[in-house]
Amino acid sequence: MKKEQKIQIIDSLTEEINASNHFYLTDISEMNAEDTSALRRACFEKDIKLVVVKNTLLKIALEKAEGEFEGLDNVLKGATSLMLTETGNLPAKLIKEFRKEHDKPILKAAYVEESLYIGDNELEALTTIKSKEELIGDIVALLQSPIKNVVSSLESGKNILAGVVKTLSEKE
């Protein structure tokens, strides 16, 4: 591969890493064509971009990208594929579901919600991470709950108060 091609690939990877909020580094080596095709299809359906990359080019792209990726140097060995996504827990759920019928992909590392997760043993933790949108939704729901209770009490109190006034007016 010529130097110009390598530079173009590195720049492209850097742009994709910067544009994506989350990414996973996985090992999909030794998967047959049918399984690889099924994984690519599953990624496409979930809006996850799957790219097989050379470790040296990815390492340079990570150095150029915005973010703290120092801990990833140790996992860039062997075959590496990059999963880029906007939803942090989606690739972890996809990997977990896919591995019910297959041995791979193996999680090498992940960068999710500005944190690094190293090793396949982090897969379970990554599936339970809530996205930023889910957390905001939870906070809004928690904030609305007391307000709904107050409004409900005021509404029922209005009916009770009206009943008391009506009873008092009938006594006179």
Side-chain angles (χ1 to χ4, degrees):
M1 188 181 302
K2 293 183 180 178
K3 187 174 183 176
E4 295 82 26
Q5 290 175 314
K6 289 179 182 179
I7 291 171
Q8 187 178 16
I9 291 170
I10 290 169
D11 290 343
S12 173
L13 282 171
T14 303
E15 285 178 27
E16 288 180 10
I17 290 168
N18 286 337
S20 178
N21 295 332
H22 318 285
F23 64 86
Y24 285 60
L25 301 176
T26 61
D27 177 7
I28 62 170
S29 65
E30 300 173 12
M31 287 177 65
N32 63 32
E34 183 181 339
D35 292 345
T36 304
S37 179
L39 177 63
R40 287 185 181 278
R41 198 172 314 110
C43 287
F44 180 78
E45 290 170 0
K46 304 270 186 200
D47 201 26
I48 299 170
K49 185 171 185 176
L50 178 66
V51 183
V52 177
V53 295
K54 286 185 163 271
N55 290 329
T56 53
L57 299 179
L58 180 58
K59 184 177 180 180
I60 296 168
L62 288 171
E63 289 171 359
K64 293 175 78 176
E66 301 165 1
E68 299 294 323
F69 309 118
E70 281 83 36
L72 297 178
D73 291 349
N74 298 332
V75 299
L76 293 177
K77 294 176 177 74
T80 303
S81 59
L82 179 66
M83 294 177 138
L84 300 155
T85 182
E86 291 299 316
T87 307
N89 60 3
L90 204 54
K93 290 178 180 178
L94 181 129
I95 291 168
K96 188 175 179 181
E97 185 67 29
F98 197 79
R99 286 196 352 205
K100 288 181 181 176
E101 298 177 16
H102 306 87
D103 293 335
K104 294 206 174 181
I106 302 295
L107 178 67
K108 289 182 167 188
Y111 180 76
V112 178
E113 300 297 339
E114 299 178 8
S115 298
L116 288 176
Y117 297 85
I118 309 290
D120 196 54
N121 58 335
E122 297 287 347
L123 186 61
E124 191 62 39
L126 286 165
T127 59
T128 60
I129 289 178
K130 290 190 175 190
S131 69
K132 192 180 214 178
E133 291 76 21
E134 290 171 326
L135 289 173
I136 290 171
D138 288 350
I139 290 171
V140 168
L142 288 171
L143 291 174
Q144 283 181 338
S145 180
I147 293 171
K148 286 181 181 177
N149 290 341
V150 169
V151 169
S152 172
S153 296
L154 289 174
E155 286 293 322
S156 66
K158 176 178 70 172
N159 294 336
I160 293 171
L161 190 60
V164 169
V165 170
K166 183 177 179 184
T167 304
L168 288 174
S169 67
E170 289 173 357
K171 284 186 177 180
E172 293 177 353

